[in-house]
Amino acid sequence: EVQLVESGGGLVKPGGSLRLSCAASGFTFSSYSMNWVRQAPGKGLEWVSSISVTSSYISYADSVKGRFTVSRDNAKNSLFLQLNSLRAEDTAVYYCARERWRSSDTFEIWGQGTLVTVSS
Amino acid sequence: EIVLTQSPGTLSLSPGERATLSCRASQSISSSYLAWYQQKPGQAPRLLIYGASSRATGIPDRFSGSGSGTDFTLTISRLEPEDFAVYYCQQYGSSPLYTFGQGTKLEIK
């Protein structure tokens, strides 16, 4: 079964840091670009970051550029998102999402999400 | 930045009826890069349609997508009880790399 499982969310104070992980299984992780998408409570979806197969191409939304860092470990079938200088507006469920095969235009497989709450 | 505007914000229909959801882009986008997702409460989004009109794996044929340029439509031909959810359109290719519409809530009348 193709599966993505996020972890690492929690409550953090403004200015703090957190590292999210996404464990992939059921497919060849090293063959797919991966993404992070977030959803603030009661709000819509917002793309956060993308990373290519070999990590040679990385992109961020302007809202997180300079504060968040995406990375991956193909040997461990894992995707990561380092969140620094967190703000209240970063409070959201963070989803990892896999592209369609050889097509980075859509998010075909999603994890269940991990909640990040930034509050003092 | 391309902005996607979905309408209506909320659509109230009964099972068995036809649903038509709209997604309008602030500038022309390639139909190859327009997708639709369904999200139910407490769940992750699910890909329904990619390339404006191609159904994703396992999606019933009552779901169809159409459109080009700036105007795109998701149609559900005959609503089933499990179809009541929030629907998002999404585009790829312009800065930011991906953008989503604000969503249409499809509720039971």
Side-chain angles (χ1 to χ4, degrees):
Chain A
E1 179 191 6
V2 174
Q3 197 170 11
L4 298 170
V5 179
E6 301 93 335
S7 60
L11 175 63
V12 61
K13 290 181 168 53
S17 297
L18 215 53
R19 190 189 196 211
L20 307 183
S21 300
C22 172
S25 60
F27 65 97
T28 305
F29 179 75
S30 59
S31 296
Y32 289 86
S33 291
M34 296 295 296
N35 309 271
W36 289 97
V37 177
R38 69 183 179 183
Q39 186 170 35
K43 302 298 184 182
L45 300 167
E46 179 189 18
W47 167 74
V48 172
S49 181
S50 297
I51 184 168
S52 63
V53 167
T54 60
S55 304
S56 59
Y57 178 79
I58 288 174
S59 184
Y60 299 98
D62 286 346
S63 58
V64 307
K65 200 172 294 183
R67 301 187 299 122
F68 291 8
T69 302
V70 65
S71 61
R72 64 190 295 164
D73 184 338
N74 288 339
K76 295 183 177 180
N77 295 333
S78 295
L79 175 71
F80 305 101
L81 187 66
Q82 178 68 39
L83 289 64
N84 296 333
S85 303
L86 282 161
R87 307 165 180 167
E89 55 265 35
D90 295 318
T91 294
V93 173
Y94 285 74
Y95 295 101
C96 68
R98 193 200 79 180
E99 65 166 354
R100 276 191 313 119
W101 173 244
R102 297 298 188 192
S103 181
S104 298
D105 57 339
T106 51
F107 309 114
E108 183 178 35
I109 304 296
W110 297 66
Q112 86 290 348
T114 187
L115 176 62
V116 172
T117 303
V118 184
S119 174
S120 55
Chain B
E1 175 181 344
I2 292 180
V3 176
L4 299 179
T5 302
Q6 294 186 238
S7 62
T10 301
L11 185 57
S12 300
L13 293 170
S14 300
E17 290 192 293
R18 180 185 186 90
T20 302
L21 287 67
S22 173
C23 176
R24 177 162 290 178
S26 57
Q27 55 187 282
S28 183
I29 61 175
S30 168
S31 58
S32 298
Y33 299 143
L34 194 285
W36 290 91
Y37 300 83
Q38 176 194 68
Q39 186 178 34
K40 297 179 181 180
Q43 296 184 16
R46 177 174 71 145
L47 176 64
L48 297 175
I49 301 287
Y50 63 91
S53 60
S54 297
R55 274 187 300 277
T57 303
I59 302 303
D61 60 8
R62 64 180 182 273
F63 291 91
S64 64
S66 63
S68 62
T70 60
D71 291 302
F72 298 88
T73 300
L74 174 70
T75 302
I76 310 171
S77 59
R78 188 175 173 83
L79 285 167
E80 298 287 343
E82 62 267 27
D83 297 337
F84 293 91
V86 178
Y87 292 83
Y88 295 95
C89 59
Q90 171 250 315
Q91 73 86 31
Y92 162 78
S94 182
S95 181
L97 200 54
Y98 304 90
T99 52
F100 291 89
Q102 83 281 13
T104 289
K105 181 179 181 180
L106 178 56
E107 65 176 24
I108 298 177
K109 187 174 182 179

